[in-house]
Amino acid sequence: MFEFCLPAILGGKCIPSAALFGQLLIGLINGSFYALLSLGLAVIFGMLNIINFAHGAQYMLGAFTAYLLLQLTGLGYWPALVIAPIVVGITGIIVERTMLQWLYKLDHLYGLLLTFGIALILEGVVRNKYGSAGLPYTLPDSLRGGQNLGFMFLPNYRAWVIGASLVVCFGTWFIIERTRLGAYLRAATENPTLVRAFGINVPRMITLTYGFGVALAAFAGVMAAPIYNVSPQMGSELIIVVFAVVVIGGMGSILGAIFTGFGLGVIEGLTKVFFPEASNTVIFVIMAIVLLVRPAGLFGRRA
Amino acid sequence: MKRLFLGAAALAALVLVGGAQAQQPINVKIGIITDMSSLYADIAGPGSVAAARLAIADFKKLHPNVNVEILVGDHLNKPDVGTQLANQFIDVDKVDMLIDTPNSGVALAISQVAANKNVIYIVSGAAASDLTGPKCNANTIHWTYDTWMLANGTGSALVKTGGTSWFFLTSDYAFGHALERDTMAVVKASGGNVIGAVRHPLNTNDFSSFLLQAQASKAKVIGLANAGGDTINSIKQAAEFGIVAGGQSLAGLLVFASDVNALGLKTAQGLVLTESWYWDMNDANREWKKRWDAERKDPSKLPTMIHAGVYSAILHYLKAVVAEGGAKDGKTMVAKMKSMPTDDILFGKGTIDPNGRKRHPAYLLEVKKPDESKYPGDIYKVRATIPADQAFRPAKDSGCPLVN
């Protein structure tokens, strides 16, 4: 059997190449969560110039909504995958209409502080009601089991996660970069007054965009519910990493968010094999290096 | 922070009843330092406060002249916040005793404060066996459980039933290292061998990479030397990757009833673990749970061994207070408590070792299958009882300077 070894300078640890393939695939799967979450953040920042710190809490709300749908109405995973993003997206729209819309003209810091406050409140309220230990949510029966790929056992659910994430990510990219609606949106970001003069309702479009970004977070939350612990703090644990992903990719760059999300998932996965203790710092090391070399991020347009 | 005074009306009534006995009133202040708002709030937190109130209510039935006031502080899982709270409780609020403290890091820090200021400190929530090992002191009692007990219970039981080779997933901080060290020692002493271990950062979301390594190791048992959300995520994802279906078994080295609730029986079934108390084991415990429920006012929560430990510890402390004729300084109270045998409805009869280790039986439990569970909270089968003299580390092996 072939072995893959690190250079001696990095410790020289070896693993069988089959195991390496497995770890690469796992990294891609985790990367698809990063991509989904950073995509929402990038859309919101790119279109609204708001740093949405409530993104983690909205991801958590998505998972909790899925749990509540199951408990209260008996609706399982598949309906939740559609309903939870809509419900949480609507709460996002309410937040945008009542609070965020007054902050666009101010410094980024105000939006960041407001959304950070919202995140803390949401997390506190959910913890007060449901406790800190978490809630059970099991795999949908249709996605139980898995495939033996020879080099690893791939659970069906993970295969679904990577597929769904790819479709959603590139679908979003296509809408914003390649359709008429996306063109309006990008134009509205550049020059809202002019776009308004053409008879387009810019504030409504911005509101819907925020709602869409929030819905993406909730979608990721539902995807996470069967495999990660559904707890009030599930979002705050992830959000810092996702912010790093967005910064590395270039704030507001959609393609950047997607590629960096997947790429960093792979790098983190490899770190878990060779230097497990460093696995939650490696992304920040990369972020520091990228910021030194390319301050606008890998895919950022403006320097 | 909340000050919780017992109802004035109830006090007035007790004064009327107790007046005839003409006993000297004894006033005691207890500071509960716990996690009220974060990841350990369900295993300790508000449930510990409820348990403390029950202990005080029960004690007052026999000794109406003892008045107890409770103060509650939230340590936010930060040793500096915990230390500052302990100092404030001792210096400003003049508490006589500190208790609870889930989180070994915070507990080790407060234990130092208690020793410096000569106040009694009873740990019910934290796990690290170092509290009664090299870091023991004459002011600290470790009540409910510790890493040695967990390792010994689950580790030796699994080796005996064929789990001879182990791979560890270990949380990369003091508690995880202690649990891994104690369990490895037990596995080796029982004739098993350790194939490998991987250290993961605290609060890891995705364990699939670590689980693949564990799977590839072909070890018969995967020992989870972690806690809380990390344990829940490991078990949830192990089920997904077919680890148990593939013939390897999981050992949850620190699993609480609340964690099993979070996993659901479908995912957690068959998991073997060790605890020192389970609510559904006998009528006395079930009766106590009803009263705890009424006090806790949240039907979705289960009392944990930490809650039971807070109840039991406060009762024993108050007995010592009465025996001393009042709440004395920490070293005196700890010495008194060590000299008296313990006895309460939840843990039965027990003792306290010279190093501050409370000794009682422990139970090897197995999580039930969904169809075996008949009502909410019906989660464990008792596989074995480990008698008090074997459940905890012998004092002479602890490395504690108090033992000679």
Side-chain angles (χ1 to χ4, degrees), chain A residues 1-8 10-24 266-267 269-275:
Chain A
M1 190 189 273
F2 293 108
E3 286 216 323
F4 179 84
C5 294
L6 276 189
L10 292 173
K13 185 172 170 177
C14 294
I15 63 165
S17 54
L20 185 71
F21 286 134
Q23 296 292 353
L24 284 172
V266 170
I267 292 177
L270 292 179
T271 317
K272 281 177 176 170
V273 183
F274 293 106
F275 309 102

Side-chain angles (χ1 to χ4, degrees), chain B residues 3-342:
Chain B
R3 277 164 194 275
L4 307 161
F5 294 98
L6 292 169
L11 270 178
L14 286 165
V15 170
L16 285 176
V17 176
Q21 297 171 356
Q23 280 172 315
Q24 285 287 5
I26 296 176
N27 294 315
V28 182
K29 247 189 198 183
I30 294 177
I32 302 179
I33 300 184
T34 188
D35 177 355
M36 294 296 281
S37 58
S38 182
L39 71 166
Y40 299 135
D42 281 357
I43 60 166
S48 292
V49 179
R53 287 202 204 123
L54 291 181
I56 293 163
D58 284 356
F59 196 75
K60 278 189 83 83
K61 281 181 206 149
L62 300 173
H63 300 273
N65 59 321
V66 178
N67 300 310
V68 187
E69 188 188 327
I70 302 178
L71 278 74
V72 181
D74 188 343
H75 64 44
L76 308 174
N77 290 298
K78 293 177 180 148
D80 53 331
V81 176
T83 314
Q84 186 210 334
L85 262 173
N87 279 316
Q88 185 196 328
F89 274 175
I90 295 168
D91 297 336
V92 182
D93 299 300
K94 309 284 179 205
V95 300
D96 301 294
M97 180 257 240
L98 296 170
I99 191 165
D100 202 14
T101 326
N103 188 318
S104 297
V106 183
L108 284 162
I110 295 181
S111 167
Q112 289 305 313
V113 176
N116 293 339
K117 302 208 160 161
N118 197 8
V119 166
I120 170 168
Y121 176 44
I122 303 182
V123 182
S124 181
S129 59
D130 305 41
L131 283 160
T132 53
K135 301 222 165 98
C136 73
N137 60 51
N139 286 73
T140 304
I141 298 178
H142 199 179
W143 201 270
T144 310
Y145 72 108
D146 64 26
T147 48
W148 196 95
M149 169 205 115
L150 298 166
N152 177 57
T154 313
S156 65
L158 285 175
V159 175
K160 269 179 212 148
T161 52
T164 46
S165 54
W166 285 60
F167 188 95
F168 285 91
L169 294 190
T170 305
S171 188
D172 194 15
Y173 77 111
F175 150 76
H177 298 177
L179 193 49
E180 182 196 80
R181 175 198 68 211
D182 289 349
T183 314
M184 277 183 178
V186 168
V187 167
K188 285 175 189 153
S190 318
N193 64 318
V194 177
I195 294 181
V198 58
R199 300 236 164 122
H200 66 78
L202 180 65
N203 282 335
T204 292
N205 213 359
D206 197 276
F207 282 85
S208 42
S209 170
F210 304 125
L211 288 167
L212 277 192
Q213 298 176 43
Q215 203 167 27
S217 77
K218 306 265 192 307
K220 287 181 184 159
V221 180
I222 298 169
L224 306 174
N226 48 24
D230 284 339
T231 308
I232 294 172
N233 274 332
S234 328
I235 297 173
K236 225 172 165 175
Q237 291 162 28
E240 194 200 351
F241 277 86
I243 297 237
V244 178
Q248 289 175 302
S249 55
L250 288 178
L253 295 171
L254 179 50
V255 178
F256 290 95
S258 49
D259 298 330
V260 174
N261 257 356
L263 282 162
L265 294 182
K266 200 172 178 181
T267 313
Q269 58 181 305
L271 190 69
V272 173
L273 54 109
T274 305
E275 293 211 57
S276 58
W277 187 83
Y278 168 46
W279 75 271
D280 202 13
M281 218 155 46
N282 57 45
D283 287 337
N285 290 3
R286 281 186 277 270
E287 196 54 41
W288 188 82
K289 176 181 184 281
K290 278 186 202 149
R291 295 176 51 217
W292 183 87
D293 284 341
E295 191 71 50
R296 180 73 178 83
K297 296 187 190 74
D298 186 344
S300 69
K301 300 284 181 286
L302 286 179
T304 64
M305 61 174 165
I306 293 179
H307 301 143
V310 167
Y311 172 89
S312 153
I314 288 183
L315 272 188
H316 189 63
Y317 168 71
L318 291 176
K319 282 179 200 164
V321 168
V322 168
E324 284 285 341
K328 298 278 162 54
D329 69 277
K331 290 196 173 58
T332 313
M333 293 312 303
V334 169
K336 188 76 201 169
M337 286 175 76
K338 285 178 183 168
S339 73
M340 299 162 54
T342 66

Side-chain angles (χ1 to χ4, degrees), chain A residues 241-292:
Chain A
V241 176
V242 173
F243 263 104
V245 171
V246 174
V247 170
I248 295 170
M251 294 290 293
S253 160
I254 288 166
L255 220 48
I258 299 171
F259 280 117
T260 340
F262 281 100
L264 288 179
V266 170
I267 292 177
E268 195 192 51
L270 292 179
T271 317
K272 281 177 176 170
V273 183
F274 293 106
F275 309 102
E277 291 91 342
S279 57
N280 64 349
T281 16
V282 63
I283 287 183
F284 301 101
V285 174
I286 295 174
M287 181 176 90
I289 295 170
V290 167
L291 285 182
L292 281 175

Side-chain angles (χ1 to χ4, degrees), chain A residues 184-265:
Chain A
Y184 288 157
L185 207 55
R186 281 176 288 130
T189 317
E190 291 294 326
N191 193 337
T193 325
L194 197 64
V195 175
R196 255 182 183 160
F198 285 112
I200 290 164
N201 188 340
V202 172
R204 190 174 65 195
M205 206 155 75
I206 296 287
T207 306
L208 290 176
T209 307
Y210 185 75
F212 176 72
V214 173
L216 278 179
F219 179 77
V222 183
M223 298 280 278
I227 47 174
Y228 297 154
N229 187 21
V230 180
S231 72
Q233 60 273 7
M234 67 188 286
S236 52
E237 287 161 9
L238 204 57
I239 194 67
I240 305 295
V241 176
V242 173
F243 263 104
V245 171
V246 174
V247 170
I248 295 170
M251 294 290 293
S253 160
I254 288 166
L255 220 48
I258 299 171
F259 280 117
T260 340
F262 281 100
L264 288 179

